Amino acid sequence: MMDSGHSISPSECLLRMYEEHHEIEDYQKGVPRWCTGCGDNAILAAIQRLCRDEGLLPEKTVFVSGIGCSSRLPHYMNTYGFHGIHGRALPVAEGVKLARPELSVFVNTGDGDCCSIGAAHWIHAVRYNMNMTMMLHDNQIYGLTKMQASPTSPIGLKSNTTPRGSYLEALNPLTVTLGISNVSFVAQVVDWIPEVLYQVISAAYHHKGFSFVRIIQRCPEWLPKLMEPWLHDPQRVLMLHHEDGVEISPAVAKVYTRMEEHDPSDMNRAREIASSIDPIPTGILYRNEEVPCYEDVRLDGRLRTASLVKQGLEAEFDKFTVWPDASGQA
Amino acid sequence: MALDESNKNEESRVNGAAGKATILKEHIVEIISDSGEGAQKCGQSFGAIVARMGIGVWTVEIIPAEIRPPARSVAGASGNRIRIGSDQVTNGGDETDLVVAFNEQVLLGRIHSKELKQGCAILLESMWREDKDPKVAKSYAEACEHLIAAGYKVFEIPMEEECLKIVPDPRRGKNMFVLGMLCSAYSLDLQIAREQIALTFAKKSEKVVKANVELLEAGYEWADKNLDLKFEIPAEKSSTPQIVVNGNTALALGVLASGMEICAMYPITPATSASHYLSDAFESVGGVVHQAEDEIAACAFAIGASYAGKCTVTITSGPGYSLKQEAIGLAVMGEIPLVVVNVMRGGPSTGQPTKTEQGDLMTTIFGSHGDAPKVVIAPGTIEECFYSVITARKIAETFNMVVVILTDANLATSQQPFKRPEFDEAWLAPPIDQSAVPEGAKPYDWHPETGLARRFIPGQPGGMHTLTGLAHDVHSHVAYDPEINQQGMRARSLKLAALQKSLRPPEVVGDREGELLVVGWGSTKGAIEEAVARLRDEGRKVSSMHFAFLSPLPPGIKEVLGGFEKVLAIENNWSDDPDDEIIDESNRRYTALATLLRSRYLVDVDCWSECRGTPLKPSTVRHLILEKLK
Ligand SMILES: Cc1ncc(C[n+]2csc(CCOP(=O)(O)OP(=O)(O)O)c2C)c(N)n1
Ligand code: SF4
Ligand SMILES: [Mg+2]
């Protein structure tokens, strides 16, 4: 044990130097191929800022995604990334986390990826409550496949598969998530308020457990007008704030004056807030640090040495062994 | 099905210690009851006792299709079928020689499905004759009459009555009484039987063990006194310790031994029992069984864990395998090591969940869209089930490939003793590489000749890249360039060739030249080799070759095929009958292996197969080989 404050062990010193070394550019890779004005750019910027501020080691950080415009995000991160198949980002991320709990795991997914084809995994990921941060890039449309209605598309939305307007009421990802056993962190944010976007993602990262962040993300390519009314009227955004949640800076508070002090431990109020579509609530709706993480429940922390395996295996063999000398080792 | 004209049991009477015993080379015993009456446990114990005495044994579970079929129903037989012999027994054999039945209905079911030898010995619980329900009593009496008339040797035995002398509820314990009777009938060592009971009920109280031993002894004495059945199977005690498990437990033990730490699965018959056993045993070596929300998730979870450096296994059966196919393609594309076990059952669709079939070979080799080269191996014995997992993980990690192990319901539920493996540290996975990646190294630096590339694992400094299921270049950058796509496809394909170069051709059982070569793969190994051996003994010029590697096919095959006038694939999957009226050479569908061999080696491989849901019988195989030799 070193005595605190005065001396620093050599390894920690090295670690610090290493950590301090990373700048935003160190997390950037390539030139994003998203359309100009696409909300995904803002999300990427917030994430890169988070990595820098938290000093995440690029080699110890994994971004997992599915398929969609949003799922391209890992390619623009100079960390490890896994750009998998449509809808299955969450189970891949869970496998990564169970195998390597020491890695920081993020999941980027779209409204089709998560709420349609991957919906089963979404529900179960909330229940597993593994320590990772999931960002739902909800542009309320299928972007990559060129404008088909998604489960979160507002009713009446005209798209290539609903030319006369979509038929069904939109699915609300917040109320769904809040209804799942073991839910431990639910937040919502919009891509056009970068400061709050950053704050919420940061809070999600710091939460131990499965953090679900729905990001209302603009898709200027297919739905250039969809979010206009909200963009132009700050009164249509409800700023949630709390000393245990997100604190609103004076600059933001000046523009977004519609506020509510909401205690993230209040599930009942969280559910009421979640059902509001207009105004759009932003901030942390719910947080519960007490929910156990699946990896902590399942992993016993023993070092898996060859002798441990041998011991266990021999004990299992013993159960099924027929010894040549019957009187012997039975 | 009295196909087997030759009598392999050269019976002779000798004076054994326990009186006159008929010396047998082999016998098939069956114990059947309603489910929950303990016939399974009786059969397993019987199998273990004979194994301890060095007698060769192959045990097959008899499982009703329904969880709780109504009592006394023809489709409800639950129990075990045990084939014992002086030599090693490699398959379930032909029809049953002696059956113990707890009621006449389950017995009739077995006769109906042609599993019993015409005129075999039947030891039947006789309590039903006096049943309060006149319908039951009548059914029993009629069945007995009918069976005797048909030539069966029926022994009516008051099992219930005898057990009541010892325990108040014979439903718990009749099975041990039966075990005692069988020990007497087969001249087994009673002391070994007592020890086996102590083992079987190790977790129960001493009182329970004592009661069961008493029942065993009572059964033994009763049979000694009243039953005119005395056999002996001479055998030499094995000098090495043997493991007695079924194929699924062997697979699960293989998972433990391979050093894998995670198994991701979703329950499905007949694969589930492997995961049940693993769930119980895996933790003892620090492993985790993750029951995912579905097979897609299970496969994706396994892929995530493998990607993160811990090669993982996912265990399933047909319908689940179909669901995994897209994710398997991702592992192929991303070159992530992955072990998939498919314990095949009858298909297509939900098919025959509890029955055996080899119907998934093609979907496994060619499945997942696009060109998705993967390794496919098929154990042919219970022992191979164990070692196949160790081999699979090694190949998966060496070649960064998906390795699929194909077993089936037959192997899954059959027990056969094999030499207790001696633990080898080399079985285990090396520690996860966390060293810094050399500057300039690329995540897909495909070797120009072998396609192999070093894999970068999260945690390795300098190795950061984004794995993608999209076409990609050596840097793992998404690339749709025609040349780059060709390059990636080539590399993934070459790895199979590289592996193939390291394989040995399968062993030819029998001469390397002759009239007919029988080829097969997987669980039919024992039945085929036994039938071929019988025919060779009869002077026929037949040999056999059994494939454990199906993708890639090992080298040297064409040369072997060329040594024979005819080649015949025998499998447990569908093929058209060439005698069907509308079937001709332009539309005949061959078995999976025959199709593979025909297309690869341009050899006219004939085939025969059936999809009855039951394991192939050596007598069936022998008979159809004789037909082909005509
Ligand atoms: C199994 C499968 N089905 C369909 C697709 C085609 N597909 C790719 S992305 C996508 C929807 C993407 O929408 P979303 O998840 O909302 O992502 P966005 O592009 O809007 O960010 C679809 C249907 C696919 N790649 N795989
Ligand atoms: S299509 Fe929409 S979601 Fe996709 S990149 Fe363009 S703006 Fe973004
Ligand atoms: Mg979308």
Side-chain angles (χ1 to χ4, degrees):
Chain A
M1 274 291 186
M2 54 180 190
D3 58 5
S4 56
H6 300 293
S7 66
I8 296 176
S9 75
S11 63
E12 187 173 333
C13 177
L14 269 174
L15 208 66
R16 277 196 189 177
M17 275 170 56
Y18 196 48
E19 281 173 9
E20 282 159 11
H21 199 69
H22 292 294
E23 281 309 322
I24 289 227
E25 301 77 61
D26 295 326
Y27 297 98
Q28 294 173 338
K29 195 174 76 187
V31 182
R33 303 265 183 93
W34 291 309
C35 311
T36 353
C38 172
D40 288 335
N41 292 294
I43 301 171
L44 177 66
I47 288 170
Q48 288 169 339
R49 196 179 141 197
L50 174 87
C51 289
R52 184 211 41 204
D53 292 354
E54 300 300 336
L56 293 183
L57 294 178
E59 68 270 21
K60 298 264 192 205
T61 307
V62 187
F63 281 83
V64 182
S65 65
I67 296 291
C69 294
S70 38
S71 289
R72 281 297 185 100
L73 188 137
H75 285 284
Y76 311 132
M77 294 296 302
N78 191 22
T79 61
Y80 279 89
F82 193 111
H83 177 210
I85 46 176
H86 195 29
R88 320 302 170 194
L90 285 167
V92 169
E94 289 154 11
V96 172
K97 192 69 188 175
L98 191 77
R100 303 284 302 280
E102 77 278 14
L103 299 175
S104 301
V105 179
F106 296 84
V107 176
N108 296 86
T109 172
D111 41 318
D113 205 53
C114 170
C115 307
S116 194
I117 191 168
H121 311 313
W122 162 32
I123 291 175
H124 290 277
V126 173
R127 185 165 161 258
Y128 296 134
N129 192 43
M130 300 187 81
N131 188 16
M132 60 178 76
T133 302
M134 182 199 126
M135 287 159 267
L136 167 59
H137 301 220
D138 191 352
N139 55 7
Q140 299 162 59
I141 195 78
Y142 285 9
L144 188 72
T145 45
K146 305 195 171 163
M147 203 192 184
Q148 299 84 19
S150 99
T152 59
S153 297
I155 188 166
L157 183 96
K158 290 201 162 110
S159 78
N160 282 322
T161 46
T162 55
R164 285 169 289 282
S166 67
Y167 309 99
L168 299 173
E169 201 59 59
L171 179 149
N172 181 335
L174 295 179
T175 53
V176 171
T177 308
L178 284 167
I180 301 168
S181 320
N182 275 355
V183 58
S184 75
F185 186 102
V186 179
Q188 177 163 271
V189 71
V190 295
D191 74 31
W192 60 89
I193 314 178
E195 189 176 328
V196 182
L197 174 64
Y198 172 81
Q199 284 177 304
V200 165
I201 293 179
S202 170
Y205 167 74
H206 283 285
H207 170 70
K208 178 152 182 355
F210 184 76
S211 312
F212 178 90
V213 184
R214 180 196 187 203
I215 306 169
I216 296 186
Q217 173 234 327
R218 287 164 300 164
C219 170
E221 179 71 10
W222 308 122
L223 304 174
K225 299 237 162 63
L226 185 70
M227 300 318 295
E228 288 283 291
W230 282 273
L231 265 169
H232 293 143
D233 184 358
Q235 286 299 308
R236 292 176 75 169
V237 173
L238 173 67
M239 286 284 162
L240 303 175
H241 66 99
H242 193 267
E243 54 180 357
D244 288 336
V246 170
E247 307 260 29
I248 307 298
S249 76
V252 172
K254 222 177 193 175
V255 184
Y256 295 95
T257 53
R258 192 162 176 180
M259 296 205 199
E260 176 174 333
E261 184 169 15
H262 168 62
D263 178 353
S265 67
D266 183 349
M267 172 62 100
N268 289 335
R269 182 62 194 143
R271 286 190 170 140
E272 283 166 18
I273 295 170
S275 53
S276 162
I277 292 174
D278 192 7
I280 297 173
T282 70
I284 302 174
L285 282 88
Y286 183 68
R287 180 171 53 209
N288 179 357
E289 300 276 358
E290 303 297 308
V291 184
C293 290
Y294 185 68
E295 63 271 33
D296 295 337
V297 175
R298 296 306 310 270
L299 300 174
D300 63 11
R302 273 180 304 167
L303 212 57
R304 214 161 169 279
T305 57
S307 73
L308 175 74
V309 175
K310 179 174 192 309
Q311 229 174 42
L313 188 63
E314 299 287 1
E316 290 307 314
F317 283 159
D318 283 348
K319 291 186 190 164
F320 306 109
T321 299
V322 168
W323 298 97
D325 177 6
S327 58
Q329 314 180 39
Chain B
M1 261 211 294
L3 293 172
D4 187 7
E5 304 89 34
S6 76
N7 191 352
K8 55 194 180 287
N9 278 329
E10 296 133 33
E11 300 192 7
S12 62
R13 290 228 165 212
V14 296
N15 283 315
K20 270 193 172 174
T22 305
I23 300 287
L24 299 176
K25 211 162 164 279
E26 70 142 271
H27 227 221
I28 300 178
V29 190
E30 199 166 289
I31 304 141
I32 45 171
S33 67
D34 287 343
S35 58
E37 288 187 313
Q40 296 256 350
K41 193 163 261 179
C42 174
Q44 282 157 9
S45 305
F46 182 75
I49 296 165
V50 295
R52 286 166 146 253
M53 294 184 63
I55 297 170
V57 58
W58 180 282
T59 313
V60 185
E61 287 167 27
I62 298 164
I63 313 164
E66 289 170 55
I67 297 290
R68 276 274 168 214
R72 295 174 40 81
S73 62
V74 276
S78 162
N80 258 294
R81 185 168 190 275
I82 309 117
R83 184 181 184 204
I84 50 182
S86 286
D87 302 325
Q88 201 198 17
V89 179
T90 61
N91 65 89
D94 299 328
E95 290 83 27
T96 298
D97 298 293
L98 183 148
V99 55
V100 185
F102 286 35
N103 68 63
E104 83 288 354
Q105 292 300 316
V106 291
L107 176 69
L108 294 175
R110 296 294 289 168
I111 289 177
H112 177 74
S113 50
K114 300 195 169 73
E115 293 293 348
L116 308 185
K117 191 171 281 175
Q118 182 70 37
C120 72
I122 295 170
L123 277 56
L124 186 57
E125 163 67 86
S126 64
M127 63 187 258
W128 309 107
R129 196 174 275 288
E130 309 294 329
D131 201 86
K132 285 192 293 282
D133 184 343
K135 267 199 244 144
V136 170
K138 185 162 173 264
S139 143
Y140 175 87
E142 279 175 7
C144 280
E145 209 173 299
H146 174 83
L147 289 167
I148 292 165
Y152 290 93
K153 296 186 214 77
V154 181
F155 299 83
E156 291 185 73
I157 300 173
M159 303 180 198
E160 180 96 356
E161 199 182 308
E162 290 298 319
C163 292
L164 273 171
K165 294 176 185 168
I166 299 162
V167 284
D169 177 12
R171 257 185 82 85
R172 300 172 166 274
K174 199 185 276 183
N175 56 348
M176 291 299 122
F177 182 85
V178 170
L179 183 63
M181 292 199 306
L182 291 173
C183 286
S184 157
Y186 289 94
S187 317
L188 303 185
D189 186 331
L190 199 56
Q191 185 51 30
I192 293 183
R194 288 192 194 98
E195 285 165 13
Q196 184 56 41
I197 287 185
L199 270 181
T200 308
F201 296 97
K203 283 186 186 160
K204 299 275 167 68
S205 70
E206 208 159 297
K207 211 174 120 204
V208 173
V209 176
K210 197 167 156 264
N212 278 295
V213 169
E214 270 176 51
L215 285 157
L216 170 92
E217 288 167 348
Y220 190 93
E221 271 165 42
W222 191 92
D224 251 7
K225 248 190 244 146
N226 302 299
L227 207 57
D228 184 22
L229 284 176
K230 207 66 174 167
F231 305 116
E232 197 183 324
I233 312 246
E236 258 176 60
K237 264 196 186 168
S238 128
S239 56
T240 49
Q242 306 276 310
I243 301 267
V244 187
V245 290
N246 67 26
N248 271 358
T249 307
L251 277 172
L253 287 167
V255 172
L256 257 62
S258 73
M260 285 191 281
E261 289 178 36
I262 301 171
C263 164
M265 51 72 67
Y266 185 81
I268 185 164
T269 305
T272 321
S273 71
S275 306
H276 287 181
Y277 171 67
L278 259 188
S279 303
D280 189 34
F282 212 4
E283 280 171 22
S284 70
V285 301
V288 173
V289 173
H290 170 66
Q291 180 178 329
E293 56 270 25
D294 59 36
E295 282 93 348
I296 300 174
C299 197
F301 191 102
I303 288 172
S306 280
Y307 159 78
K310 293 190 175 168
C311 181
T312 294
V313 60
T314 179
I315 304 181
T316 190
S317 184
Y321 191 81
S322 292
L323 284 177
K324 290 177 200 286
Q325 292 267 27
E326 189 198 8
I328 286 175
L330 169 65
V332 171
M333 188 61 141
E335 302 189 46
I336 304 166
L338 177 72
V339 179
V340 185
V341 178
N342 178 355
V343 184
M344 293 177 288
R345 63 192 226 175
S349 190
T350 312
Q352 302 202 82
T354 59
K355 307 275 178 147
T356 196
E357 197 178 291
Q358 298 182 303
D360 298 350
L361 181 57
M362 289 308 207
T363 196
T364 305
I365 296 180
F366 300 109
S368 205
H369 53 283
D371 185 50
K374 51 194 115 54
V375 179
V376 181
I377 57 180
T381 64
I382 307 299
E383 184 175 25
E384 285 173 19
C385 287
F386 173 80
Y387 288 103
S388 67
V389 187
I390 299 168
T391 308
R393 189 200 55 76
K394 276 241 137 58
I395 296 175
E397 293 220 308
T398 309
F399 292 84
N400 293 332
M401 289 188 88
V402 177
V403 182
V404 186
I405 300 173
L406 281 178
T407 71
D408 57 27
N410 179 19
L411 286 173
T413 58
S414 297
Q415 293 195 342
Q416 180 195 28
F418 63 91
K419 186 171 165 288
R420 178 175 163 134
E422 275 166 42
F423 178 77
D424 184 345
E425 261 186 50
W427 290 348
L428 304 183
I432 300 178
D433 187 355
Q434 292 291 275
S435 62
V437 165
E439 200 147 337
K442 307 169 200 103
Y444 291 100
D445 202 358
W446 294 302
H447 187 279
E449 275 154 37
T450 62
L452 284 162
R454 180 183 159 185
R455 194 164 73 97
F456 301 163
I457 296 166
Q460 284 191 274
M464 289 83 73
H465 68 285
T466 291
L467 183 143
T468 177
L470 287 166
H472 49 264
D473 64 12
V474 290
H475 302 283
S476 196
H477 293 158
V478 176
Y480 301 130
D481 179 288
E483 282 312 315
I484 292 172
N485 196 47
Q486 281 284 114
Q487 188 190 15
M489 303 279 283
R490 176 173 176 272
R492 291 187 296 273
S493 182
L494 283 185
K495 291 193 293 181
L496 264 189
L499 170 62
Q500 194 257 7
K501 291 280 178 215
S502 72
L503 299 179
R504 273 175 309 168
E507 186 195 350
V508 177
V509 181
D511 296 334
R512 292 183 72 91
E513 274 164 20
E515 245 181 282
L516 180 76
L517 177 75
V518 180
V519 291
W521 61 280
S523 73
T524 54
K525 183 175 186 175
I528 290 177
E529 290 184 355
E530 181 175 330
V532 168
R534 278 193 221 168
L535 286 163
R536 294 182 64 77
D537 285 348
E538 293 162 25
R540 301 293 185 148
K541 292 192 168 55
V542 188
S543 301
S544 72
M545 177 165 67
H546 213 74
F547 288 81
F549 274 84
L550 281 316
S551 169
L553 285 168
I557 303 294
K558 182 151 192 168
E559 293 67 27
V560 176
L561 301 183
F564 295 85
E565 285 165 41
K566 286 182 191 166
V567 181
L568 173 68
I570 296 180
E571 294 170 63
N572 228 330
N573 50 39
W574 183 254
S575 63
D576 288 330
D577 181 349
D579 294 336
D580 272 349
E581 206 166 324
I582 64 163
I583 298 300
D584 56 43
E585 262 319 300
S586 71
N587 62 17
R588 177 180 174 195
R589 295 172 67 225
Y590 283 78
T591 58
L593 181 62
T595 306
L596 291 175
L597 297 179
R598 291 172 68 86
S599 69
R600 176 165 300 278
Y601 303 113
L602 302 178
V603 171
D604 187 11
V605 179
D606 195 1
C607 66
W608 179 91
S609 67
E610 61 177 16
C611 287
R612 298 179 177 281
T614 49
L616 287 185
K617 289 183 166 50
S619 61
T620 313
V621 175
R622 176 180 170 279
H623 183 73
L624 71 96
I625 293 175
L626 282 174
E627 289 285 301
K628 294 284 176 187
L629 284 173
K630 267 181 196 159

